[in-house]
Amino acid sequence: MDDDDAGLWTRVRQGDELALAALFDRYDARLFRHASRLLTHREDAKDAVTVAFFELWRKRVSVRLVDGSPLPWLLTTVAHCARNLERSSRRYRALLDRAPVAAAATAGHDKSGVLSALKRLPEREQAVVVLSVLEGYAEREVAQALGIPAGTVKSRLARAKAKLRDEVAMEGARA
C-alpha cells in the first residue's frame, strides 16, 4: 500500500467518509470482478461489493490489515457476502418455484374462501402455509427453505391457521 493508501486508511479509521469513497474508487473494480466470479447475477456482485464496504466502514476500528492494506479483508468479506447472497437467492428461487404452482393448482377450487383468506395473510405466514400445508413439506424442510428456525415455522403456522380459521368462519357466517 503506497503512502496515499496509508493516508486514506488512517483517515477512514478516524471516520472520514471521503477517504472511504476514495478506497471504494480504488478497489471497486477488482472487488466486483472477484464477486462476479462467485455469483451468477451482476446485481448480486454489486451488492456483495457494497455490503463489504459497509462492513469495512462499520468495523473500521477492528479491521486487520494485511501488509498495510484493507484489500485482503475486503476480498474475504466479498466472498462471504457472495456466499450469503447466493444461499439467500437459492432459497428465494425455491420458494417462488413452489408457491405459484400450489396456488395455481388449487385456484379453481376456492369455494370455501380459504385461498382468498390466505392471500390476506402477511407474506411470512403465507410462505409457511404454502410450503407446509399446500405443498406438504415437513416443518424442518420449510425452516431450511425459508432460512428460519423450526420453532418459528411452528408459531407462524399456528398463527396463520388461527387467522384462516377465523376468516373462513366469518365468511361462512356471512353466506
Side-chain angles (χ1 to χ4, degrees):
M1 194 156 96
D2 60 24
D3 290 333
D4 193 30
D5 285 345
L8 286 174
W9 182 246
T10 300
R11 289 176 33 213
V12 167
R13 286 189 56 129
Q14 294 169 350
D16 185 346
E17 295 171 5
L18 293 176
L20 179 69
L23 284 176
F24 180 85
D25 291 342
R26 179 161 293 148
Y27 297 133
D28 176 47
R30 183 167 179 185
L31 293 170
F32 178 75
R33 283 191 306 274
H34 180 59
S36 295
R37 286 189 292 266
L38 301 170
L39 292 161
T40 316
H41 301 286
R42 177 181 173 86
E43 292 76 23
D44 286 344
K46 288 179 186 178
D47 289 346
V49 172
T50 302
V51 169
F53 272 98
F54 278 131
E55 287 299 302
L56 179 70
W57 178 255
R58 192 172 70 84
K59 296 179 178 182
R60 65 187 176 274
V61 174
S62 63
V63 168
R64 282 189 256 163
L65 303 182
V66 176
D67 293 330
S69 173
L71 183 59
W73 186 92
L74 283 165
L75 288 166
T76 302
T77 304
V78 164
H80 288 299
C81 292
R83 276 193 299 278
N84 289 341
L85 286 166
E86 192 64 33
R87 190 172 33 245
S88 175
S89 182
R90 270 194 314 271
R91 282 193 305 258
Y92 183 69
R93 282 190 308 271
L95 177 64
L96 288 180
D97 288 345
R98 292 182 203 137
V101 172
T106 57
H109 311 292
D110 189 23
K111 294 181 177 144
S112 65
V114 173
L115 287 178
S116 59
L118 175 64
K119 290 177 185 175
R120 291 190 293 273
L121 287 176
E123 274 186 52
R124 297 175 334 165
E125 292 175 6
Q126 272 184 33
V128 170
V129 170
V130 167
L131 290 175
S132 63
V133 177
L134 298 180
E135 289 292 327
Y137 286 96
E139 288 173 353
R140 178 185 48 77
E141 294 169 321
V142 173
Q144 187 177 14
L146 298 177
I148 58 177
T152 303
V153 171
K154 287 182 180 190
S155 61
R156 286 183 187 174
L157 188 57
R159 269 194 312 273
K161 284 181 177 179
K163 288 176 185 176
L164 289 171
R165 193 171 27 252
D166 292 345
E167 286 211 27
V168 170
M170 285 177 23
E171 284 293 321
R174 288 184 210 151

